[in-house]
């Protein structure tokens, strides 16, 4: 818990230092005028640059109604306004369909591509096609291990194994002995890495539970049945914010005392953390993933910049607890955390 609070404060300190340095490097009037002009442009929905109106496409593995990807999209769209980008978004949780959407973007001759690699085998060939067509690619969220091998400029997201290891450590710190890791998307390599990472560092027992994430009643029923069959389970870890509520309902129906924890943060999760309904959440800052992906593509087109030095640009993990949730609530409500 102290570790998470320190992370929030450290981020604030870094931002304050950067802001202070920026102000120090400007004249007392010129810098302020430029900043005021940028703010006015952003408020009016106008770009802050005069570069050509390039077209960037983002194609993700999101299913319908996934609030996590709404936040990613919010970040990407905000950066697109700032950078004078025509932004196209499409998604499918089926690997082959996602690859077809990428091919459609290639056919449109977009100037840049942002893709997630939850099912990398289905995406490899089409990513290579994009690069052969001269379209720069940035990967986000999933597939950090495959990103460089496939030729992407960089990957933006969290290392899923490290995130899982952080969960295992947190469960140990909370004195948990038996955990259930709920995987809601068959074939998603990132989900497997999360649970494997947690199992690696968790001193207790951890078992995987595979559910159909497209059927929330089935998710709830599966967790409920597991809790009823094994009352010794003292923690349930879901791999996405929408599934945390189903786990809470399953716990209640099963009359279990297991703590429910989750990956990802949204307004509902922040409220549940504040109320004590959830124990902790793992935030990978999806808004930042979308925003930085567009911004880095723009920088590459404008200035041939590449960030990361061959390594992923990490946006998480950060363990969020009840003590942090109130501070982040206003950001989750506006769809940026």
């Amino acid at each position: 818990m102290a570790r998470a609070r320190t992370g929030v404060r450290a981020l604030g300190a870094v931002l304050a230092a950067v802001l202070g340095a920026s102000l120090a490097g400007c004249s007392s009037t010129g810098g302020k005028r430029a900043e005021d002009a940028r703010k006015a442009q952003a408020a009016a929905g106008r770009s802050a640059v005069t570069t050509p109106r390039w077209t960037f496409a983002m194609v993700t593995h999101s299913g319908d109604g996934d609030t996590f990807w709404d936040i990613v999209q919010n970040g990407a769209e905000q950066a697109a306004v700032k950078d004078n980008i025509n932004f196209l978004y499409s998604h499918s949780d089926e690997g082959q369909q996602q690859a077809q959407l990428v091919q459609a973007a290639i056919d449109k001759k977009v100037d840049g591509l942002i893709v997630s690699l939850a099912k990398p085998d289905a995406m490899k060939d089409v990513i290579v096609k994009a690069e052969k067509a001269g379209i720069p690619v940035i990967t986000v969220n999933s597939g950090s291990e495959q990103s460089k091998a496939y030729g992407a400029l960089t990957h933006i997201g969290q290392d899923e194994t490290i995130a899982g290891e952080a969960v295992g450590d947190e469960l140990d710190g909370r004195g948990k002995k038996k955990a259930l890791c709920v995987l809601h998307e068959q074939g998603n390599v990132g989900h497997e890495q999360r649970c494997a990472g947690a199992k690696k560092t968790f001193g207790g027992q951890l078992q995987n539970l595979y559910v159909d994430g497209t059927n929330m009643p089935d998710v709830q029923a599966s967790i409920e049945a597991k809790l009823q069959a094994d009352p010794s389970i003292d923690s349930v870890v879901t791999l996405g914010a929408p599934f945390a509520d189903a786990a809470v309902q399953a716990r209640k129906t099963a009359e279990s005392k297991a703590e429910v924890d989750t990956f990802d943060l949204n307004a509902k999760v922040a409220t549940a953390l504040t109320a004590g309904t959830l124990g902790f959440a793992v935030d990978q800052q999806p808004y930042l993933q979308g925003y930085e992906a567009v911004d880095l593509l723009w920088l590459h087109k404008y200035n041939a910049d590449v960030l990361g030095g061959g390594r992923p640009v990490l946006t998480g993990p950060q363990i969020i607890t009840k003590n942090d949730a109130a501070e982040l609530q206003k950001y989750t409500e506006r769809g940026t955390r």
Side-chain angles (χ1 to χ4, degrees), residues 58-77 87 89-93 98 114-119 138-143 155-157 160 184-185 188 191 194 239-243 264-266 284-287 289-291 293 335 337:
M58 173 181 277
V59 185
T60 74
H61 67 274
S62 170
D64 293 332
D66 191 330
T67 56
F68 175 91
W69 288 102
D70 291 342
I71 301 171
V72 175
Q73 189 176 350
N74 286 345
E77 289 175 344
F87 178 72
Y89 180 79
S90 59
H91 65 91
S92 174
D93 57 3
Q98 187 189 3
I114 302 161
V115 299
S116 60
L117 298 178
K119 295 164 184 173
I138 285 180
T139 60
V140 296
N141 181 259
S142 302
H155 178 83
I156 303 172
E160 302 291 17
H184 62 266
E185 186 179 339
N188 188 317
H191 290 182
R194 290 177 182 182
L239 302 187
F243 305 95
D264 302 334
L265 181 70
N266 62 16
Q284 58 175 308
Q285 302 186 99
Y287 181 88
Q289 291 178 14
Y291 190 98
R337 284 298 289 265

Side-chain angles (χ1 to χ4, degrees), residues 8 20 33 71 73 84 137 142 176 196 202 224 226 243 252 271:
V8 173
R33 287 172 183 163
I71 301 171
Q73 189 176 350
N84 192 31
V137 178
S142 302
K176 303 303 179 183
F202 182 40
E224 179 184 333
K226 197 69 176 179
F243 305 95
K252 183 185 300 184
T271 299

Side-chain angles (χ1 to χ4, degrees), residues 287-309:
Y287 181 88
L288 194 59
Q289 291 178 14
Y291 190 98
E292 288 302 318
V294 170
D295 217 27
L296 292 184
L297 269 182
W298 176 83
L299 283 167
H300 182 71
K301 292 289 293 183
Y302 172 65
N303 204 44
D305 289 318
V306 178
L307 198 62

Side-chain angles (χ1 to χ4, degrees), residues 105-159:
I106 295 171
D107 294 341
K108 291 178 182 177
K109 298 182 179 180
V110 298
D111 300 293
L113 264 170
I114 302 161
V115 299
S116 60
L117 298 178
K119 295 164 184 173
D121 290 344
M123 298 292 290
K124 181 177 181 179
D125 290 346
V126 76
I127 298 301
V128 171
K129 285 183 181 179
E131 290 155 358
K132 286 183 177 179
I135 301 172
V137 178
I138 285 180
T139 60
V140 296
N141 181 259
S142 302
S144 61
E145 294 183 1
Q146 293 82 9
S147 177
K148 185 176 181 180
Y150 289 6
L153 294 176
T154 193
H155 178 83
I156 303 172
Q158 70 180 4
D159 184 301

